[in-house]
Amino acid sequence: MSATETAETRSSAEFWFDPLCPWAWMTSRWMMQVEEVRPVDVTWSVMSLAVLNEGRDLPDTYREMMDRAWGPVRVIIAAAAEHGDKVIKPLYDAMGTSIHLGGEKDFAKVIAGALEEVGLPWELAEVADSDVNDAELRASHQRAIDLVGDDVGTPVIAVNGEAFFGPVVSPAPKGEAAGRLWDGCVLVAGTPGFYELKRSRTVGPIFD
């Protein structure tokens, strides 16, 4: 921290994710770049695509994925409850790397590998098929939804009393380009009456 970046001038941001979402993964990699070039400190929280899509009429293939989507977020919530919030980001990094960079579709393997990588007990994997921590999962998810509404997905970012969905970007900007995008997001999110800025996606997630 430089002399000009005192505790008073730094911002605190919260980033909600579901490890299954490739777009949230892209945005999270951008957010990590932002931390390096802007005075912002990020905390990481879980929201759930499975919860978000409850009761919705979905294609069979997507419904099947949503049925399996409970596992990773349940494990992260349980791990944080037992070992502290400090394990959330490392677990997300490990799961996301396996899913999005490694192409692993078996979420049981994703969970087991992530727990081993982060050094957490393998027994935590057992909560993937249990609703024992779903109240905490739903509460974390609802905190994000309460800020932005229920017609969005993951990720959600809150900063300086404002929150927004996205940004959806591919590939993730790096360095000062990441900082400029952050500046713009904070600006529009803090503009009274601003709700949406969007265009059709022409590329998928570009992982690097």
Side-chain angles (χ1 to χ4, degrees):
M1 182 183 298
S2 70
T4 59
E5 291 179 4
T6 65
E8 289 74 22
T9 62
R10 295 186 68 81
S11 297
S12 295
E14 187 168 5
F15 186 108
W16 282 268
F17 65 89
D18 185 311
L20 268 64
C21 180
W23 295 105
W25 177 255
M26 297 293 298
T27 309
S28 71
R29 303 308 96 176
W30 162 73
M31 195 74 244
M32 292 164 60
Q33 290 285 312
V34 171
E35 284 188 287
E36 295 184 6
V37 296
R38 293 295 185 269
V40 57
D41 302 308
V42 183
T43 58
W44 302 84
S45 299
V46 171
M47 62 185 301
S48 169
L49 289 173
V51 173
L52 185 70
N53 285 286
E54 280 185 316
R56 295 183 178 181
D57 186 16
L58 303 173
D60 290 344
T61 54
Y62 194 71
R63 169 53 59 197
E64 187 273 335
M65 185 171 72
M66 290 301 96
D67 290 343
R68 297 188 299 118
W70 291 96
V73 287
R74 281 171 167 168
V75 170
I76 294 175
I77 289 289
E82 293 186 19
H83 300 276
D85 290 347
K86 65 183 182 298
V87 304
I88 294 176
K89 179 60 162 44
L91 277 175
Y92 179 35
D93 290 342
M95 289 183 182
T97 298
S98 178
I99 294 169
H100 304 300
L101 303 186
E104 181 58 68
K105 305 297 184 184
D106 185 335
F107 295 158
K109 292 182 179 178
V110 168
I111 291 167
L115 291 172
E116 181 178 5
E117 181 175 329
V118 179
L120 293 172
W122 65 266
E123 290 89 351
L124 281 167
E126 296 174 354
V127 305
D129 298 316
S130 168
D131 63 1
V132 65
N133 292 305
D134 281 6
E136 291 82 357
L137 170 59
R138 291 178 183 277
S140 180
H141 175 88
Q142 193 61 44
R143 284 199 302 111
I145 295 302
D146 287 345
L147 292 171
V148 295
D150 59 5
D151 59 345
V152 302
T154 174
V156 168
I157 300 173
V159 60
N160 297 336
E162 305 290 344
F164 52 89
F165 160 71
V168 176
V169 61
S170 180
K174 296 179 174 60
E176 184 56 24
R180 290 195 300 270
L181 177 57
W182 174 253
D183 296 340
C185 289
V186 173
L187 174 63
V188 297
T191 300
F194 179 84
Y195 295 107
E196 187 170 353
L197 181 68
K198 188 174 182 178
R199 58 186 172 189
S200 297
R201 294 195 297 264
T202 58
V203 298
I206 300 172
F207 304 122
D208 54 17

